[in-house]
Short mmCIF file of all heavy atoms in Angstrom, two decimals:
data_model
loop_
_atom_site.label_atom_id
_atom_site.label_comp_id
_atom_site.label_asym_id
_atom_site.label_seq_id
_atom_site.Cartn_x
_atom_site.Cartn_y
_atom_site.Cartn_z
N ARG A 120 -44.31 1.36 6.48
CA ARG A 120 -45.10 0.27 7.08
C ARG A 120 -44.77 -1.07 6.39
O ARG A 120 -44.59 -2.08 7.06
CB ARG A 120 -46.59 0.56 6.97
CG ARG A 120 -47.10 1.61 7.94
CD ARG A 120 -48.60 1.53 8.10
NE ARG A 120 -49.29 1.64 6.81
CZ ARG A 120 -49.65 2.82 6.26
NH1 ARG A 120 -49.36 3.95 6.88
NH2 ARG A 120 -50.27 2.83 5.10
N ALA A 121 -44.72 -1.04 5.05
CA ALA A 121 -44.47 -2.28 4.31
C ALA A 121 -43.08 -2.83 4.61
O ALA A 121 -42.89 -4.02 4.83
CB ALA A 121 -44.66 -2.05 2.81
N LEU A 122 -42.08 -1.95 4.61
CA LEU A 122 -40.71 -2.36 4.86
C LEU A 122 -40.56 -2.96 6.26
O LEU A 122 -39.94 -4.02 6.44
CB LEU A 122 -39.75 -1.19 4.70
CG LEU A 122 -39.49 -0.74 3.26
CD1 LEU A 122 -38.98 0.70 3.20
CD2 LEU A 122 -38.51 -1.68 2.56
N LEU A 123 -41.13 -2.31 7.28
CA LEU A 123 -41.00 -2.79 8.66
C LEU A 123 -41.83 -4.05 8.88
O LEU A 123 -41.50 -4.88 9.74
CB LEU A 123 -41.38 -1.69 9.63
CG LEU A 123 -40.45 -0.48 9.65
CD1 LEU A 123 -41.00 0.62 10.57
CD2 LEU A 123 -39.04 -0.88 10.10
N GLU A 124 -42.89 -4.19 8.11
CA GLU A 124 -43.70 -5.42 8.21
C GLU A 124 -42.91 -6.60 7.68
O GLU A 124 -42.94 -7.71 8.25
CB GLU A 124 -45.00 -5.24 7.42
CG GLU A 124 -45.96 -6.42 7.51
CD GLU A 124 -47.22 -6.17 6.70
OE1 GLU A 124 -47.78 -5.06 6.77
OE2 GLU A 124 -47.63 -7.10 5.98
N VAL A 125 -42.20 -6.39 6.58
CA VAL A 125 -41.41 -7.47 5.98
C VAL A 125 -40.14 -7.76 6.81
O VAL A 125 -39.78 -8.92 7.00
CB VAL A 125 -41.01 -7.11 4.53
CG1 VAL A 125 -40.13 -8.19 3.92
CG2 VAL A 125 -42.25 -6.90 3.66
N GLU A 126 -39.49 -6.69 7.28
CA GLU A 126 -38.24 -6.85 8.05
C GLU A 126 -38.16 -5.76 9.12
O GLU A 126 -37.74 -4.63 8.84
CB GLU A 126 -37.03 -6.78 7.10
CG GLU A 126 -35.70 -6.89 7.79
CD GLU A 126 -35.63 -8.05 8.77
OE1 GLU A 126 -35.63 -9.21 8.32
OE2 GLU A 126 -35.63 -7.78 9.99
N PRO A 127 -38.56 -6.09 10.37
CA PRO A 127 -38.63 -5.08 11.45
C PRO A 127 -37.29 -4.44 11.80
O PRO A 127 -37.29 -3.39 12.48
CB PRO A 127 -39.20 -5.87 12.62
CG PRO A 127 -39.87 -7.07 12.02
CD PRO A 127 -39.08 -7.40 10.81
N THR A 128 -36.17 -5.01 11.38
CA THR A 128 -34.87 -4.48 11.81
C THR A 128 -34.33 -3.38 10.88
O THR A 128 -33.29 -2.77 11.19
CB THR A 128 -33.83 -5.61 11.89
OG1 THR A 128 -33.60 -6.14 10.59
CG2 THR A 128 -34.29 -6.71 12.81
N VAL A 129 -34.98 -3.13 9.74
CA VAL A 129 -34.44 -2.13 8.82
C VAL A 129 -34.71 -0.71 9.35
O VAL A 129 -35.63 -0.49 10.12
CB VAL A 129 -35.02 -2.26 7.39
CG1 VAL A 129 -34.66 -3.60 6.78
CG2 VAL A 129 -36.52 -2.02 7.37
N GLN A 130 -33.88 0.22 8.90
CA GLN A 130 -34.12 1.65 9.17
C GLN A 130 -34.58 2.29 7.85
O GLN A 130 -34.06 1.99 6.78
CB GLN A 130 -32.84 2.32 9.68
CG GLN A 130 -32.44 1.84 11.07
CD GLN A 130 -31.16 2.51 11.55
OE1 GLN A 130 -30.07 2.08 11.19
NE2 GLN A 130 -31.29 3.57 12.34
N VAL A 131 -35.56 3.18 7.98
CA VAL A 131 -36.20 3.75 6.79
C VAL A 131 -36.24 5.26 6.89
O VAL A 131 -36.62 5.83 7.92
CB VAL A 131 -37.64 3.21 6.64
CG1 VAL A 131 -38.26 3.75 5.33
CG2 VAL A 131 -37.68 1.69 6.66
N TRP A 132 -35.83 5.91 5.80
CA TRP A 132 -35.94 7.38 5.69
C TRP A 132 -36.67 7.69 4.39
O TRP A 132 -36.33 7.15 3.33
CB TRP A 132 -34.55 8.03 5.69
CG TRP A 132 -33.82 7.84 6.98
CD1 TRP A 132 -33.87 8.65 8.08
CD2 TRP A 132 -32.91 6.79 7.30
NE1 TRP A 132 -33.06 8.15 9.06
CE2 TRP A 132 -32.45 7.01 8.62
CE3 TRP A 132 -32.43 5.67 6.60
CZ2 TRP A 132 -31.55 6.17 9.25
CZ3 TRP A 132 -31.53 4.81 7.23
CH2 TRP A 132 -31.10 5.06 8.54
N GLN A 133 -37.67 8.57 4.48
CA GLN A 133 -38.46 8.92 3.31
C GLN A 133 -38.27 10.41 2.97
O GLN A 133 -38.19 11.24 3.88
CB GLN A 133 -39.95 8.66 3.56
CG GLN A 133 -40.28 7.22 3.89
CD GLN A 133 -41.73 7.06 4.29
OE1 GLN A 133 -42.51 6.50 3.56
NE2 GLN A 133 -42.10 7.56 5.46
N VAL A 134 -38.23 10.70 1.67
CA VAL A 134 -38.15 12.09 1.24
C VAL A 134 -39.26 12.35 0.21
O VAL A 134 -39.43 11.59 -0.73
CB VAL A 134 -36.76 12.40 0.62
CG1 VAL A 134 -36.75 13.79 0.01
CG2 VAL A 134 -35.66 12.26 1.66
N SER A 135 -39.96 13.43 0.43
CA SER A 135 -40.98 13.87 -0.51
C SER A 135 -40.34 14.68 -1.63
O SER A 135 -39.54 15.58 -1.37
CB SER A 135 -42.01 14.74 0.23
OG SER A 135 -42.88 15.37 -0.67
N CYS A 136 -40.65 14.33 -2.88
CA CYS A 136 -40.01 14.95 -4.04
C CYS A 136 -41.05 15.54 -5.01
O CYS A 136 -41.28 15.01 -6.11
CB CYS A 136 -39.16 13.92 -4.78
SG CYS A 136 -37.98 13.04 -3.75
N PRO A 137 -41.71 16.61 -4.60
CA PRO A 137 -42.84 17.13 -5.40
C PRO A 137 -42.48 17.58 -6.82
O PRO A 137 -43.35 17.59 -7.70
CB PRO A 137 -43.36 18.30 -4.57
CG PRO A 137 -42.22 18.68 -3.67
CD PRO A 137 -41.49 17.42 -3.38
N GLU A 138 -41.23 17.98 -7.06
CA GLU A 138 -40.89 18.54 -8.38
C GLU A 138 -40.52 17.47 -9.41
O GLU A 138 -40.46 17.77 -10.61
CB GLU A 138 -39.75 19.54 -8.25
CG GLU A 138 -40.13 20.83 -7.52
CD GLU A 138 -39.15 21.95 -7.80
OE1 GLU A 138 -39.06 22.38 -8.95
OE2 GLU A 138 -38.48 22.37 -6.85
N PHE A 139 -40.25 16.25 -8.99
CA PHE A 139 -39.74 15.25 -9.93
C PHE A 139 -40.75 14.91 -11.04
O PHE A 139 -40.38 14.85 -12.21
CB PHE A 139 -39.35 13.97 -9.18
CG PHE A 139 -37.94 13.98 -8.68
CD1 PHE A 139 -37.48 12.97 -7.83
CD2 PHE A 139 -37.03 14.95 -9.05
CE1 PHE A 139 -36.17 12.95 -7.35
CE2 PHE A 139 -35.71 14.95 -8.59
CZ PHE A 139 -35.30 13.94 -7.74
N VAL A 140 -42.00 14.65 -10.70
CA VAL A 140 -42.98 14.24 -11.72
C VAL A 140 -43.18 15.36 -12.74
O VAL A 140 -43.12 15.11 -13.96
CB VAL A 140 -44.32 13.79 -11.10
CG1 VAL A 140 -45.39 13.65 -12.18
CG2 VAL A 140 -44.12 12.46 -10.37
N PRO A 141 -43.40 16.60 -12.33
CA PRO A 141 -43.53 17.68 -13.34
C PRO A 141 -42.28 17.80 -14.22
O PRO A 141 -42.41 18.04 -15.44
CB PRO A 141 -43.75 18.93 -12.50
CG PRO A 141 -44.37 18.44 -11.23
CD PRO A 141 -43.73 17.12 -10.97
N LEU A 142 -41.09 17.64 -13.64
CA LEU A 142 -39.86 17.74 -14.44
C LEU A 142 -39.79 16.64 -15.50
O LEU A 142 -39.40 16.88 -16.64
CB LEU A 142 -38.65 17.69 -13.53
CG LEU A 142 -38.36 18.97 -12.71
CD1 LEU A 142 -37.31 18.71 -11.65
CD2 LEU A 142 -37.97 20.14 -13.60
N VAL A 143 -40.19 15.43 -15.12
CA VAL A 143 -40.21 14.32 -16.10
C VAL A 143 -41.26 14.58 -17.17
O VAL A 143 -40.99 14.43 -18.38
CB VAL A 143 -40.46 12.98 -15.39
CG1 VAL A 143 -40.69 11.86 -16.44
CG2 VAL A 143 -39.28 12.60 -14.49
N GLU A 144 -42.45 14.97 -16.75
CA GLU A 144 -43.55 15.18 -17.69
C GLU A 144 -43.28 16.36 -18.64
O GLU A 144 -43.80 16.41 -19.74
CB GLU A 144 -44.87 15.39 -16.96
CG GLU A 144 -45.40 14.14 -16.24
CD GLU A 144 -45.97 13.09 -17.19
OE1 GLU A 144 -46.33 13.45 -18.31
OE2 GLU A 144 -46.03 11.91 -16.79
N GLN A 145 -42.43 17.31 -18.19
CA GLN A 145 -42.05 18.43 -19.05
C GLN A 145 -40.78 18.15 -19.85
O GLN A 145 -40.26 19.03 -20.52
CB GLN A 145 -41.88 19.69 -18.19
CG GLN A 145 -43.16 20.19 -17.54
CD GLN A 145 -42.89 21.13 -16.37
OE1 GLN A 145 -41.80 21.68 -16.22
NE2 GLN A 145 -43.91 21.30 -15.51
#
C-alpha cells in the first residue's frame, strides 16, 4: 500500500520469512 501510494507505477512482490527472526535471535 505504501509503495503504490508513493509511486503507483511500481510492481511489488512480498515474501513472508518466518524463520529469519528466530535464526538471528539464536
Side-chain angles (χ1 to χ4, degrees):
R120 286 198 305 272
L122 286 159
L123 293 175
E124 183 180 316
V125 177
E126 179 47 71
T128 65
V129 298
Q130 292 179 277
V131 184
W132 295 272
Q133 301 174 109
V134 173
S135 170
C136 307
E138 291 198 65
F139 273 170
V140 169
L142 286 169
V143 171
E144 291 286 339
Q145 294 162 18

